[in-house]
Amino acid sequence: MKIIRLENIFKIYGSGETEVKALNNVNLTIDEGEYCSIMGPSGSGKSTAMNIIGCLDRPSSGSYYLDNVDVAQMNDKALAHIRNKKLGFVFQQFHLLPQLTALENVILPMAYAGINPQERRDRATEALIKVGLEKRLNNKPTQLSGGQQQRVAIARAIVNRPVVLLADEPTGALDSRTTQEVMDIFSELNASGITVVMVTHEPEVARQTQRIVWFRDGEVVHSHLTPADLNHMAVS
Ligand SMILES: Nc1ncnc2c1ncn2[C@@H]1O[C@H](COP(=O)(O)OP(=O)(O)O)[C@@H](O)[C@H]1O
Ligand SMILES: [Mg+2]
């Protein structure tokens, strides 16, 4: 099953002299259960593509089928609903609320999902156990290492049981040891059935995924690289 299907996607910023074609006829499909990374030079359209895949932005033209529903031109309210139900996000800078504990940060996305308070706590606790933070439920972000904060962010991203987990440079702010902790969690989540798509510029991160999509100048120039293929590519 194609969980993500981008067809003839264009994204154009500005107009006239200042026009930028951030995405230039992108066609890309991702199967349910895949573990995929997106690579390519800076400015090649990776984040623009992720924002569209994540329903944070709409394409200028083209179709985007998420779980067989065309979401390309849905209004903001409908997109917000889809995001909450089907997608989880992890960002480079964690984006945790500093005044809340780990548990409270993970409870937050369920506020919109109509789940009773006890079940919210149970599900948030379960998600934090999954990422190995059962001893840190009541710590605030400043009391946690970068790797632990990113694990809280992952718990928050999976607590509504998304079909797709999206991550834009999730290890960009981490050292190599905590990068590996976080990558191990993504691998486990993928093994449990969640489709994972991440942007990275680190070959050692991309090598741990199953499939690498390569962007250049707003186009997908390679849609199915394997980790071994990366050894032959110039990465910039
Ligand atoms: N909001 C925006 N307004 C104007 N241009 C943008 C905007 N966002 C991105 N761009 C341009 O679109 C192109 C692709 O950007 P982006 O998707 O952020 O690339 P990447 O994530 O691969 O570095 C770049 O030329 C960038 O300058
Ligand atoms: Mg980017």
Side-chain angles (χ1 to χ4, degrees):
M1 215 283 276
K2 305 290 180 204
I3 195 81
I4 290 167
R5 194 146 53 91
L6 300 175
E7 293 180 353
N8 309 115
I9 294 285
F10 288 80
K11 180 71 181 183
I12 293 156
Y13 290 113
S15 63
E17 297 253 301
T18 61
E19 184 179 293
V20 176
K21 233 181 227 173
L23 295 177
N24 186 13
N25 199 18
V26 166
N27 287 278
L28 179 68
T29 59
I30 295 175
D31 280 327
E32 191 165 18
E34 272 195 292
Y35 187 11
C36 207
S37 52
I38 296 180
M39 297 193 82
S42 177
S44 60
K46 304 181 298 294
S47 292
T48 303
M50 278 298 265
N51 289 344
I52 289 171
I53 292 171
C55 297
L56 293 163
D57 199 3
R58 279 178 286 264
S60 304
S61 64
S63 303
Y64 170 27
Y65 296 89
L66 172 63
D67 205 4
N68 282 325
V69 177
D70 189 355
V71 298
Q73 299 307 332
M74 278 187 176
N75 66 31
D76 290 349
K77 193 170 168 220
L79 284 181
H81 181 71
I82 297 261
R83 280 201 302 277
N84 197 253
K85 272 194 76 146
K86 300 209 166 174
L87 302 170
F89 289 92
V90 178
F91 301 96
Q92 180 170 348
Q93 297 300 340
F94 323 140
H95 293 311
L96 300 176
L97 294 184
Q99 70 277 28
L100 301 185
T101 65
L103 189 66
E104 290 163 347
N105 267 286
V106 178
I107 285 173
L108 216 53
M110 288 182 283
Y112 313 102
I115 301 163
N116 77 52
Q118 185 56 49
E119 195 187 341
R120 286 182 203 177
R121 293 185 73 83
D122 291 348
R123 278 172 60 169
T125 305
E126 187 192 330
L128 283 160
I129 290 171
K130 248 190 206 159
V131 300
L133 289 177
E134 57 280 359
K135 298 206 175 94
R136 299 290 184 175
L137 303 182
N138 298 314
N139 285 102
K140 294 193 173 165
T142 51
Q143 301 169 315
L144 300 171
S145 71
Q148 289 170 333
Q149 289 183 60
Q150 194 58 302
R151 282 147 66 188
V152 174
I154 295 171
R156 181 183 56 186
I158 61 171
V159 77
N160 278 338
R161 298 169 187 159
V163 287
V164 181
L165 181 58
L166 300 169
D168 195 347
E169 303 266 8
T171 62
L174 304 178
D175 63 28
S176 57
R177 189 177 57 83
T178 47
T179 288
Q180 197 49 49
E181 285 174 19
V182 163
M183 289 305 292
D184 289 345
I185 289 165
F186 281 118
S187 290
E188 282 163 29
L189 291 172
N190 175 253
S192 78
I194 300 182
T195 308
V196 179
V197 183
M198 72 171 64
V199 170
T200 183
H201 64 267
E202 299 168 87
E204 54 283 18
V205 165
R207 271 196 196 93
Q208 298 185 46
T209 69
Q210 296 160 348
R211 167 188 171 192
I212 298 129
V213 177
W214 197 276
F215 275 72
R216 188 189 300 139
D217 296 335
E219 296 177 22
V220 172
V221 290
H222 301 286
S223 64
H224 285 84
L225 294 173
T226 64
D229 292 330
L230 275 190
N231 299 332
H232 313 293
M233 308 269 315
V235 180
S236 56

